[in-house]
Amino acid sequence: MHDQAEQKIDYYGKKIAGMKQKYGMNFSDFEKRIHLRGGKEDFEEWDDFILWESYVTASRYWEQFV
């Protein structure tokens, strides 16, 4: 289980790093940006937000097994 958790953390870490690079900010700042837009939605950014949030959640889940 420990090895699997490390592999998952590495996998999600790479996904998170890709999103950080794409947007030039961390998830918390990106989340604020999304919510501050109000009624103006950028569907690509919204899709990326959902993905990024899932990567962060999954990474936190697997960290409990290391």
Side-chain angles (χ1 to χ4, degrees), residues 43 57 63:
F43 291 108
T57 301
E63 285 172 0

Side-chain angles (χ1 to χ4, degrees), residues 3-62:
D3 290 341
Q4 182 182 12
E6 286 183 344
Q7 290 173 353
K8 295 287 187 178
I9 291 168
D10 182 57
Y11 171 79
Y12 290 116
K14 289 176 183 174
K15 294 289 190 180
I16 290 167
M19 294 299 232
K20 282 182 182 178
Q21 183 177 6
K22 180 176 180 178
Y23 289 102
M25 63 185 76
N26 64 29
F27 176 73
S28 179
D29 292 337
F30 186 68
E31 183 176 28
K32 288 175 192 169
R33 175 174 147 176
I34 292 292
H35 292 298
L36 289 175
R37 282 189 187 248
K40 297 180 181 178
E41 286 189 25
D42 179 317
F43 291 108
E44 180 183 357
E45 285 189 2
W46 184 251
D47 288 345
D48 284 347
F49 169 71
I50 293 168
L51 281 173
W52 199 347
E53 184 177 41
S54 72
Y55 299 152
V56 170
T57 301
S59 182
R60 288 180 183 153
Y61 170 80
W62 287 104

